[in-house]
Amino acid sequence: MARSRRREAMLEAAIALFSEKGYHATTVREIAQAVGILPGSLYAHMASKEDLLYEAVEQAWERFREAVAPIAESPGHAGERLRRAMAAHIRVVAESPAAATVFLHEWRALSPDRRAMAVAHRQAYEDLLARIIRDGVESGLFRPVDERFVRLLVLSAVNWTYQWYRPGGPLSPEQVADQFYEIISRGILALSGES
C-alpha cells in the first residue's frame, strides 16, 4: 500500500473510531488494528493521534465549505440560497455521517492552537450563512431578525441530521431542507392562532 493510501486508510479508520467511541477513548492500537498494521508503524505516517483528528476536522470543514460557499456567495433570492445551503450541508452529513460527527463533536479534543484554527474555520462557515441571512433582510425578503439566532437555528437543524438522517430513507437532503426552510421561513403558528 502506497504511503498516501496507507495514510488515507488510517484517517478513515480513525474517523470511524473517533465517531463511534470518541477521540479520547480511541487508542492508537485500535487504529492500527483497523488498518492491519502494528501500532508502532502508525508513527511512520503521523506524529501523533491528534494529527489524525486535526486532519479529519480540516477535511470535514473543507467539504462543508466547498458545498456551501458557492451558494452563499452567489447572487439571487436569499430564501432559495438558504434552502440550497441547508440541502448542501445535509448532503455532506449524509455522505459521511462519521466525519460529520467528528467535525461537530471531537474538535474540542484538539490542542489549543489547533482548536483555535477549528474555531476560526467554524466561524468562517457560519459567516457564509450570515451573509445569506443579511442579504435576505437587506432585500426585504426576511423581516428584521437577530441574525445570530437565525444562524443558530439553521445550524442546529442541519447539524443534528447526523443523528437521524439515513441515505436511502424516504427523504432526500433537498426534501429535508425544504421542510426545514418551510418551518423556519413561515413559523409554526397559524395566522388565526396568533395572540
Side-chain angles (χ1 to χ4, degrees):
M1 185 182 282
R3 181 180 170 100
S4 61
R5 290 177 59 202
R6 172 72 45 90
R7 175 77 176 196
E8 189 60 33
M10 290 166 47
L11 182 60
E12 287 175 21
I15 289 170
L17 288 163
F18 296 162
S19 171
E20 180 186 332
K21 300 178 65 171
Y23 172 76
H24 291 299
T26 300
T27 66
V28 170
R29 181 175 300 280
E30 289 169 319
I31 297 169
Q33 187 175 22
V35 179
I37 60 176
L38 296 171
S41 300
L42 259 81
Y43 293 105
H45 304 281
M46 63 175 203
S48 68
K49 180 176 79 166
E50 186 193 5
D51 286 353
L52 291 172
L53 176 60
Y54 184 67
E55 193 171 332
V57 168
E58 287 284 298
Q59 188 179 85
W61 171 77
E62 191 63 31
R63 285 182 185 152
F64 282 116
R65 190 194 62 74
E66 286 176 358
V68 173
I71 297 165
E73 295 167 354
S74 67
H77 190 276
E80 176 59 18
R81 286 166 47 218
L82 183 58
R83 188 199 62 76
R84 287 176 45 223
M86 288 191 294
H89 185 103
I90 295 166
R91 199 174 314 108
V92 172
V93 171
E95 289 169 358
S96 186
T101 300
V102 172
F103 175 73
L104 294 169
H105 295 285
E106 299 305 316
W107 65 275
R108 290 174 182 87
L110 291 167
S111 61
D113 287 347
R114 285 179 164 177
R115 191 168 50 246
M117 288 292 291
V119 168
H121 291 331
R122 293 168 76 86
Q123 184 58 56
Y125 185 74
E126 288 186 25
D127 289 346
L128 295 173
L129 294 176
R131 178 177 181 168
I132 298 172
I133 296 161
R134 267 194 313 274
D135 288 351
V137 171
E138 289 172 4
S139 71
L141 177 67
F142 302 155
R143 65 182 175 81
V145 291
D146 186 323
E147 170 197 301
R148 179 175 169 264
F149 280 102
V150 175
R151 192 175 70 238
L152 287 171
L153 177 62
V154 169
L155 284 170
S156 295
V158 296
N159 283 345
W160 192 250
T161 56
Y162 83 93
Q163 283 285 336
W164 59 267
Y165 183 81
R166 297 294 173 260
L171 298 175
S172 69
E174 288 74 20
Q175 290 169 315
V176 172
D178 288 346
Q179 293 284 335
F180 284 166
Y181 181 72
E182 181 74 13
I183 293 166
I184 290 168
S185 65
R186 295 182 184 266
I188 60 172
L189 284 178
L191 289 177
S192 61
E194 291 187 75
S195 51

